[in-house]
Amino acid sequence: AQRKERLDVRLVEEGFFPAGKEPGRQLWPGLFLQAAKGQKKIVELLLARGAAIDAENSHGATALWLAAEDGRGDIVEFLLAK
């Protein structure tokens, strides 16, 4: 798991985004996925690169809501502090 996280961090740092998003496209799908998975480092990187923290999916859920639903307390606290 730690190796996968390091790879995800490296990919984001190199400009590749989770959920198949390319630079210049919306980053929130990746933010949703990583928040739900509890990947705080990736969430931080995506936000630093312009992901919209308050974006909603088609059901009205935000990354914060998805993190809370999946019991990702550290991500919830991080997002609330932003």
Side-chain angles (χ1 to χ4, degrees):
Q2 191 174 35
R3 185 174 185 191
K4 167 99 171 71
E5 182 179 349
R6 285 196 312 263
L7 176 60
D8 286 347
V9 168
R10 178 78 187 269
L11 288 172
V12 171
E13 288 173 342
E14 294 295 324
F16 296 96
F17 301 99
K21 293 298 172 190
E22 300 170 9
R25 302 191 106 197
Q26 293 179 342
L27 302 179
W28 63 262
L31 180 64
F32 282 19
L33 175 65
Q34 299 303 324
K37 288 172 53 179
Q39 298 295 322
K40 186 177 177 189
K41 180 85 171 170
I42 306 298
V43 168
E44 291 173 356
L45 289 170
L46 289 169
L47 290 174
R49 284 168 173 71
I53 195 169
D54 58 352
E56 297 179 357
N57 67 13
S58 60
H59 303 287
T62 62
L64 173 63
W65 189 87
L66 293 171
E69 180 180 52
D70 285 346
R72 308 297 184 178
D74 58 331
I75 302 295
V76 169
E77 289 179 21
F78 173 75
L79 292 172
L80 286 172
K82 289 289 179 185

